[in-house]
Amino acid sequence: MTAVARILLRRIALLVPLLLGIVLFVFLVMRFSDVDPASAFFQGANPTPQQLHDFRERNGLLDPLPVRYVHFVGELLHGDLGTSALTRAPVVDQVTTALPLTLQLTFLGLTIAVVLALAGGVTAAVYRDRLPDQAIRVVSLVGVAAPGFWLALLMIQYLAVDRGWFPTGGYINPADSVTGWLKTMALPAFALSLPVAAQLTRIVRTSVVEELDKDYVRTAIGSGLPPRVVVGRNVLRNALVNPLTVLGLRVGYLLGGAVVIETIFSLPGMGKLMIDAVQNGDPAVVQGVVLTTATGFVVVNLVIDILYLLVNPRLRAG
């Protein structure tokens, strides 16, 4: 078995206890919350104490906590996230409907962040301590300090309300109109991605600067290779190791930031679904959204680990 296969198997094996720990944490937090599933189920009505008792007994809410946890894990393994107290519909159906939009927003935000970070970070490193480097560092510092929701409000005011270039909110399915989809997703994606792009730009710059100072770069350029070839073929690949590690953590920010951004732009994704569930006292939906988001974060980090192996030959050799 190769070193890459062994490392991947170890990573995948670690996912099982990690996911069980996430499930346990969410289970305990929801069970010790002030929201009573029985009362949430009968909201808008006046149930009798006997009706509440029957509901708790029928749904296993009176069982000991370890027994409830085992039943909960068993339901998750069968794809059952519970039933919404508000709509009486399976939570998995609501999550399946909302998840594609959040994935679209996260993917667009991640793509924009990576492109801007690579362009800005490499440019700043190549023109180190000169005007382009100083300008990019100032812009990235402002981007790190600016919260995504504030950028979203500014974009709505200046680009949507004042100039009318983009809609202020809403969502158009790409199957109906690709152009309309891009217009509705452009501002949310940029608002979500800019803080991440600013952070990654600083990290990419530092990594590329460190790589440019190594002997093999000076040797390659001194032997007659064009600097752009050396940077594109060798420097950039070696310098991507540290940014990739940070990128895995920033994906969690993108997923979490989507909650606020979707609410601001009225996008019917996972964020809006969870906000509505919190406001309406629907614990099963909140629980389903949190578990789905946490699982997605873990899976994305596994993908980042695989990319880390691809760009780090020393790790593959080890």
Side-chain angles (χ1 to χ4, degrees):
M1 184 181 297
T2 63
V4 174
R6 287 197 300 270
I7 294 173
L8 288 178
L9 286 177
R10 282 203 301 268
R11 296 285 196 275
I12 295 172
L14 288 174
L15 289 183
V16 177
L18 180 59
L19 289 174
L20 287 176
I22 292 173
V23 171
L24 177 61
F25 176 76
V26 174
F27 173 82
L28 292 176
V29 168
M30 296 303 299
R31 293 311 174 277
F32 287 109
S33 69
D34 295 332
V35 179
D36 179 20
S39 300
F41 183 83
F42 288 105
Q43 60 180 322
N46 294 313
T48 63
Q50 184 61 42
Q51 287 177 311
L52 292 173
H53 177 80
D54 292 342
F55 177 85
R56 295 187 181 102
E57 186 175 23
R58 186 169 58 253
N59 291 275
L61 299 177
L62 300 179
D63 295 336
L65 205 60
V67 176
R68 293 165 61 187
Y69 175 69
V70 172
H71 290 164
F72 180 63
V73 173
E75 291 172 351
L76 290 179
L77 292 176
H78 289 87
D80 185 4
L81 293 174
T83 302
S84 170
L86 187 64
T87 64
R88 305 293 193 270
V91 174
V92 67
D93 292 344
Q94 299 184 51
V95 170
T96 303
T97 301
L99 183 59
L101 189 147
T102 299
L103 292 179
Q104 293 170 25
L105 178 59
T106 304
F107 176 76
L108 283 176
L110 183 63
T111 302
I112 293 171
V114 170
V115 171
L116 292 179
L118 288 177
V122 173
T123 302
V126 171
Y127 292 95
R128 178 176 18 175
D129 296 329
R130 284 180 277 176
L131 183 59
D133 179 28
Q134 295 171 355
I136 290 172
R137 280 193 287 179
V138 170
V139 172
S140 63
L141 183 61
V142 173
V144 170
F149 71 87
W150 181 73
L151 293 174
L153 295 175
L154 287 181
M155 289 179 181
I156 291 175
Q157 180 63 45
Y158 291 106
L159 300 179
V161 176
D162 292 348
R163 290 168 176 78
W165 294 345
F166 300 94
T168 57
Y171 175 71
I172 297 178
N173 195 298
D176 299 329
S177 172
V178 175
T179 303
W181 174 74
L182 287 173
K183 285 185 176 180
T184 56
M185 297 295 287
L187 293 187
F190 270 99
L192 184 64
S193 66
L194 289 181
V196 176
Q199 295 173 359
L200 286 177
T201 297
R202 298 168 66 85
I203 296 171
V204 170
R205 178 196 178 277
T206 301
S207 297
V208 174
V209 165
E210 291 177 353
E211 204 67 26
L212 287 173
D213 288 338
K214 293 185 177 178
D215 293 337
Y216 80 89
V217 176
R218 289 191 290 269
T219 302
I221 294 177
S223 64
L225 286 176
R228 64 177 180 275
V229 174
V230 177
V231 172
R233 184 180 298 174
N234 303 107
V235 172
L236 190 57
R237 179 170 181 172
N238 294 333
L240 283 180
V241 175
N242 290 333
L244 267 179
T245 306
V246 178
L247 182 62
L249 300 176
R250 292 298 91 195
V251 171
Y253 168 84
L254 291 173
L255 290 171
V259 174
V260 178
I261 298 300
E262 287 175 1
T263 303
I264 293 175
F265 288 94
S266 300
L267 297 175
M270 295 282 281
K272 191 172 185 302
L273 179 63
M274 186 169 71
I275 294 296
D276 291 343
V278 171
Q279 292 176 342
N280 297 321
D282 200 341
V285 175
V286 175
Q287 179 176 268
V289 171
V290 172
L291 284 174
T292 304
T293 304
T295 302
F297 176 69
V298 171
V299 172
V300 168
N301 274 272
L302 176 62
V303 175
I304 295 297
D305 284 343
I306 295 174
L307 294 177
Y308 191 85
L309 288 174
L310 294 178
V311 301
N312 193 344
R314 289 173 296 181
L315 188 59
R316 294 199 304 270

